[in-house]
């Protein structure tokens, strides 16, 4: 496993640069690092870039680099799990995607707590903490190779729903109003 900072791959800052990650498992932190002056590393300003809040960007970047799986350390895992649970229970967990989104898969991902990361890495956790501090201090990526055997089985359960928006029309019945139409439409916006 390789600790790869925050899994960011922007023009200003890239944890992936110079790394051969094909078939590897990586461990990253969520969010985006700031330097000691409070500037985000991907933008160089006090405004965060899209990497700060988008795990999806990180998982897509990892997939493009051939990463097998991404372990994302989430220090607020209980809150994150509660939010996912709320979305699934109230139906917001179902979304429509276009064909292009289905063709751009993300790397397999596992969200873990800080405690689980500490247990998984054992004494190597201190090296990860040191590398993370170095990223903030120097504003440059830092990685750590961790000798851990990872055996992972994931069974995705995705269901597709093909559909299109519907449009129908009725011509006017009055000969003088033949140029007027009644248009009826239906779409999937209520699904998300």
């Amino acid at each position: 496993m390789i600790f790869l900072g925050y899994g960011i791959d922007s023009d200003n800052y890239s944890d992936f640069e110079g790394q051969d990650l094909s078939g590897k498992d990586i461990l990253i932190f969520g969010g985006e690092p700031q330097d000691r002056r409070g500037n985000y590393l991907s933008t160089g300003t006090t405004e965060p870039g899209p990497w700060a809040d988008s795990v999806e960007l990180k998982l897509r970047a990892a997939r493009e680099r051939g990463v097998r799986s991404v372990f994302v350390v989430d220090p607020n895992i209980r809150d994150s799990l509660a939010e996912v649970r709320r979305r699934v229970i109230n139906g917001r967990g179902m979304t429509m995607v276009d064909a292009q989104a289905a063709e751009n898969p993300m790397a397999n991902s596992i969200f873990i707590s800080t405690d689980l990361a500490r247990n998984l890495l054992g004494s190597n956790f201190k090296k990860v903490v040191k590398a993370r501090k170095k990223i903030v201090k120097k504003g440059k990526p830092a990685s750590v190779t961790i000798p851990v055997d990872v055996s992972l089985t994931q069974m995705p359960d995705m269901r597709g729903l093909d559909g299109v928006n519907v449009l129908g029309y009725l011509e006017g019945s009055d000969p003088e109003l033949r140029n007027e139409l009644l248009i009826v439409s239906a779409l999937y916006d209520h699904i998300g």
Side-chain angles (χ1 to χ4, degrees), residues 61-106:
R63 177 67 175 218
E64 289 170 7
R65 298 295 183 114
V67 170
R68 183 177 82 123
S69 62
V70 180
F71 289 78
V72 181
V73 180
D74 183 351
N76 301 314
I77 193 127
R78 289 184 193 274
D79 295 338
S80 298
L81 290 173
E83 176 58 28
V84 169
R85 181 180 167 86
R86 276 191 296 278
R87 275 189 287 162
V88 170
I89 288 173
N90 74 16
R92 289 187 303 152
M94 181 176 166
T95 59
M96 301 288 287
V97 296
D98 60 19
Q100 184 180 6
E103 293 173 8
N104 288 322
M106 296 178 276

Side-chain angles (χ1 to χ4, degrees), residues 154-169:
Q154 288 184 316
M155 300 178 72
D157 182 15
M158 299 178 72
R159 297 178 193 129
L161 172 65
D162 293 328
V164 294
N165 291 334
V166 178
L167 176 68
Y169 70 94

Side-chain angles (χ1 to χ4, degrees), residues 11 20 27 49-50 56 61 63 90 96 117 130 139 144 147 151 155 160 171 184-185:
D11 292 338
D20 177 16
L27 175 80
E56 183 178 316
R63 177 67 175 218
N90 74 16
M96 301 288 287
K130 186 176 179 180
V144 176
S151 176
M155 300 178 72
E171 290 182 354
V184 181
S185 67

Side-chain angles (χ1 to χ4, degrees), residues 167-174 177-185:
L167 176 68
Y169 70 94
L170 294 172
E171 290 182 354
S173 59
D174 187 331
L177 301 175
R178 283 258 181 221
N179 292 334
E180 293 187 11
L181 299 174
L182 172 62
I183 298 176
V184 181
S185 67

Side-chain angles (χ1 to χ4, degrees), residues 107-184:
N108 294 324
S109 58
I110 303 94
F111 290 78
I112 62 175
S113 67
T114 306
D115 288 339
L116 182 56
R118 187 177 288 115
N119 290 338
L120 177 69
L121 302 176
S123 62
N124 291 302
F125 188 75
K126 290 179 182 177
K127 292 178 184 176
V128 168
V129 170
K130 186 176 179 180
R132 186 177 178 192
K133 288 179 181 177
K134 184 178 177 183
I135 291 170
V136 172
K137 184 176 181 182
K138 298 196 176 201
K140 298 191 184 294
S143 64
V144 176
T145 300
I146 306 157
V148 174
D149 290 328
V150 177
S151 176
L152 178 65
T153 302
Q154 288 184 316
M155 300 178 72
D157 182 15
M158 299 178 72
R159 297 178 193 129
L161 172 65
D162 293 328
V164 294
N165 291 334
V166 178
L167 176 68
Y169 70 94
L170 294 172
E171 290 182 354
S173 59
D174 187 331
E176 292 181 21
L177 301 175
R178 283 258 181 221
N179 292 334
E180 293 187 11
L181 299 174
L182 172 62
I183 298 176
V184 181

